[in-house]
Amino acid sequence: MSKGSDLLVAALENEGVDRIFGIPGEENLDVVESLRTSKIELVLTRHEQAAAFMAATHGRLTGRPGVCISTLGPGALNFTTGAAYAHLGAMPMLMITGQKPIMSARQARFQIVDIIGAMRPVTKMTRQIVSAASIPTIVRDAFRVATEERPGPVHLELPEDIAAETADVALVPSHPIDRPVAAPAAIERAAAMILAAKRPLIMIGAAGNRPRLVEPLSDFVRRTRIPFFNTQMGKGAVTGGSNLYLGTAALSERDYVHEAIDRADLIISIGHDTVEKPPFLMGQVAGGPKVIHVGYVSASVEQVFHPDAEVVGDIGATVTALADRLGGRLDPDQGMLGLRQQILERINDRAEEDRFPVTPQRLVHDVRAVMPEDGIVCLDNGMYKIWFARNYRTHVANTLLLDNALATMGAGLPSAMMAALLHPGRRVLAVCGDGGFMMNSQEMETAVRLGLNLVVLILDDSAYGMIRWKQAVDEFADYGMTFGNPDFVAYANSYGATGHRVTAVRDLAPTLEAAFKAGGVHLVAVPIDYSENTRVLIQELHHKVSDIEPAE
């Protein structure tokens, strides 16, 4: 006979779980005791939201669900933003929350909230466990649901008395699951459309950036020689410095890459997920490019995305089959490749600008200079994300982690912590605006306690810069978006990290390099100036690449 909590932990071990993130409460104490004698490490965080972000990032980087734990009520509700982050971002994750005993009510309704109901809109599955004997099957099913396409978060609520209940039941073994393959007719139809096109263009979206797709997609581009661009969350899906890369759709329209989109007569959309901000807007009238949707699941038809053909099935198998039919039969459109040079030159303009406070282009340039090809940059959400999406070249998959789905602030530091835990031998950099950093800045203590090697770059403009930019774009007055900041150097030092402040643009790259070489947790604060770039970006949105003169 085993306690329910022992069965839960054994079932998690059976799934290969090695860490659980979170803040347990009194309703989880049986689970905590079971974890104490297990092979699973309990990683205590300072806020449940950060634990959820870390678990979601584990799923994003490995393809295996990360696991987080909280108590009932307020602790469980703090998971909901992380759940939405994983749900929109298609990251497999398991959340375990406690609950008061369900066979008695000695505390009436103290702290009790309908967490099952609260989790339903932001998870793939949410269940209360009502008997210890059901735990092995429920856990196995939870992992299956979390990982099958489309991946995402699942939630299990374990009441205190069920955790203490005993049962005699065996674990449920996992087994490989092969993904369905697209119908041959659909593949043949797509191949015929591509061969008939004069100016085909590949777009790689969020679902094209699964860890298992790196080689098939990279091989597809090499064999077909079709120019490609990517959405923000599709960035880095193709390895190596390809001369077919046209850029990243950091905006929905009128950005540099949209000249290539306008030129195309066919877009092969691989793994586009409409939870992302649209990379381009499909018109409702004839004359635009045809679109083929290649995905694990059917396309979500939206006003701005309504493909002309679909190839639904395992993406890796689909692109390999398409390459077999297309390889050697296509020649890149020279006009598209010529446009590529203009696009890349334009986005690299001002990359070595010496103004201070630092400009976004110089910031991206210096970060790229200190990060090796396999270094991982984890972005929070803010104005700077546009420039990292546009200007930061990736050569290894999953080395620029950004969120273009929920696009929540506060995730940058926890996601970087998870990356550093998974890849202790690689450089990991969190890039956070001052607003986003302060939403989970308490996790600096967690990073120090875990002994991570991590550099946190804080972009200090004392404002919610993205919304301030939107105010300017919409010609509203500059109002209500500024705030004061702590002394970030002293703040970092108070947690046992090492703080640095950059006071000249020439010092940014050397400061980052020195922090990485020293090891441990470092915070580097640098003032940033968006004002001139806001003006230029507004101007650029109303012109084509060929129309824009270099900025003074």
Side-chain angles (χ1 to χ4, degrees):
M1 300 290 283
S2 300
K3 284 200 316 180
S5 59
D6 291 335
L7 287 169
L8 174 70
V9 171
L12 295 175
E13 288 181 330
N14 189 50
E15 299 290 344
V17 175
D18 56 4
R19 295 185 182 97
I20 294 180
F21 308 92
I23 307 175
E26 61 183 282
E27 291 75 24
N28 308 113
L29 289 179
D30 281 289
V31 176
V32 172
E33 177 60 20
S34 297
L35 286 171
R36 185 181 65 83
T37 56
S38 77
K39 299 176 183 177
I40 299 175
E41 177 188 5
L42 175 61
V43 178
L44 199 67
T45 61
R46 303 307 299 266
H47 197 286
E48 293 88 354
Q49 187 185 93
F53 288 145
M54 293 180 76
T57 303
H58 180 284
R60 178 178 188 170
L61 289 174
T62 68
R64 305 188 311 274
V67 183
C68 51
I69 188 170
S70 82
T71 187
L72 78 172
L77 288 171
N78 281 340
F79 273 168
T80 54
T81 299
Y85 174 76
H87 193 49
L88 270 67
M91 307 174 198
M93 174 174 71
L94 170 63
M95 297 170 287
I96 300 168
T97 63
Q99 188 52 274
K100 297 292 184 185
I102 56 175
M103 303 303 291
S104 64
R106 296 175 63 86
Q107 296 191 40
R109 299 199 57 79
F110 173 66
Q111 284 195 312
I112 292 179
V113 177
D114 180 7
I115 299 300
I116 301 296
M119 286 291 185
R120 192 166 287 119
V122 290
T123 58
K124 293 184 71 179
M125 180 182 90
T126 176
R127 292 182 64 176
Q128 183 184 71
I129 300 174
V130 296
S131 74
S134 67
I135 288 174
T137 54
I138 290 176
V139 170
R140 174 81 282 275
D141 195 44
F143 274 78
R144 177 191 64 80
V145 171
T147 54
E148 68 184 7
E149 289 292 339
R150 181 178 180 269
V154 297
H155 166 247
L156 299 178
E157 182 179 79
L158 181 62
E160 189 176 0
D161 52 351
I162 304 303
E165 183 182 83
T166 58
D168 184 12
V169 61
L171 298 177
V172 179
S174 61
H175 60 274
I177 299 176
D178 293 321
R179 296 171 185 85
V181 177
I187 293 173
E188 294 294 345
R189 185 163 50 248
M193 291 177 68
I194 296 168
L195 289 169
K198 292 182 173 61
R199 297 176 301 280
L201 180 63
I202 295 169
M203 181 184 81
I204 300 174
N209 213 354
R210 307 276 193 263
R212 61 180 174 270
L213 291 179
V214 174
E215 289 309 315
L217 278 178
S218 301
D219 185 61
F220 178 68
V221 170
R222 284 192 295 266
R223 292 173 64 190
T224 62
R225 298 185 298 162
I226 300 173
F228 74 97
F229 74 103
N230 48 256
T231 69
Q232 291 188 39
M233 293 182 73
K235 194 173 180 73
V238 173
T239 58
S242 173
N243 61 4
L244 296 168
Y245 169 71
L246 295 174
T248 298
L251 303 169
S252 296
E253 58 182 337
R254 298 196 300 274
D255 202 357
Y256 306 129
V257 76
H258 291 99
E259 280 211 54
I261 295 169
D262 292 342
R263 178 178 175 82
D265 59 355
L266 176 70
I267 294 177
I268 306 150
S269 172
I270 301 175
H272 178 48
D273 192 328
T274 55
V275 298
E276 277 206 79
K277 190 176 179 63
F280 68 96
L281 307 177
M282 287 188 69
Q284 299 292 326
V285 296
K290 298 287 187 182
V291 175
I292 300 172
H293 169 77
V294 177
Y296 289 106
V297 296
S298 298
S300 297
V301 176
E302 303 284 350
Q303 182 179 359
V304 296
F305 188 76
H306 39 89
D308 302 281
E310 297 190 47
V311 188
V312 178
D314 181 80
I315 290 177
T318 296
V319 296
T320 299
L322 280 173
D324 290 341
R325 289 157 176 79
L326 301 173
R329 302 175 66 184
L330 296 168
D331 291 314
D333 173 49
Q334 294 305 310
M336 195 77 80
L337 295 181
L339 185 58
R340 170 186 185 270
Q341 189 61 32
Q342 294 181 47
I343 292 170
L344 296 184
E345 284 178 2
R346 185 56 190 159
I347 64 174
N348 288 324
D349 183 40
R350 308 174 72 183
E352 298 183 55
E353 193 169 43
D354 286 333
R355 289 197 309 132
F356 192 81
V358 67
T359 60
Q361 294 96 320
R362 179 60 185 263
L363 177 85
V364 175
H365 172 273
D366 285 10
V367 167
R368 180 68 277 181
V370 301
M371 297 300 287
E373 287 196 349
D374 68 345
I376 301 173
V377 176
C378 301
L379 304 185
D380 206 277
N381 268 278
M383 187 67 181
Y384 51 90
K385 189 175 74 169
I386 294 174
W387 276 277
F388 271 93
R390 277 171 143 193
N391 295 27
Y392 190 85
R393 288 297 301 273
T394 55
H395 304 286
V396 176
N398 285 309
T399 52
L400 180 65
L401 303 187
L402 57 80
D403 169 24
N404 192 36
L406 185 66
T408 178
M409 299 170 71
L413 175 58
S415 66
M417 290 164 59
M418 187 69 253
L421 276 172
L422 287 170
H423 302 289
R426 293 161 66 174
R427 287 189 175 185
V428 178
L429 175 72
V431 180
C432 307
D434 42 12
F437 172 71
M438 290 304 294
M439 290 187 178
N440 270 312
S441 64
Q442 72 283 342
E443 300 307 327
M444 290 288 288
E445 187 278 328
T446 308
V448 171
R449 175 166 29 93
L450 293 174
L452 299 181
N453 291 316
L454 174 66
V455 177
V456 184
L457 179 60
I458 306 300
L459 311 182
D460 185 353
D461 68 337
S462 299
Y464 292 116
M466 175 64 86
I467 310 307
R468 202 178 190 188
W469 172 63
K470 293 288 188 182
Q471 276 184 325
V473 169
D474 293 339
E475 300 182 349
F476 287 114
D478 183 1
Y479 173 75
M481 300 300 161
T482 59
F483 46 73
N485 278 320
D487 179 337
F488 284 121
V489 173
Y491 188 72
N493 294 341
S494 72
Y495 284 120
T498 304
H500 311 263
R501 182 177 292 105
V502 174
T503 56
V505 68
R506 65 180 177 274
D507 296 333
L508 175 57
T511 302
L512 291 172
E513 182 66 29
F516 278 119
K517 286 183 175 178
V521 180
H522 291 256
L523 182 152
V524 177
V526 58
I528 190 164
D529 180 12
Y530 293 122
S531 58
E532 175 64 13
N533 286 273
T534 297
R535 182 189 66 78
V536 171
L537 188 56
I538 293 170
Q539 178 192 41
E540 290 170 357
L541 290 177
H542 294 87
H543 296 82
K544 293 183 177 182
V545 174
S546 54
D547 294 338
I548 304 171
E549 296 297 327
E552 296 296 328

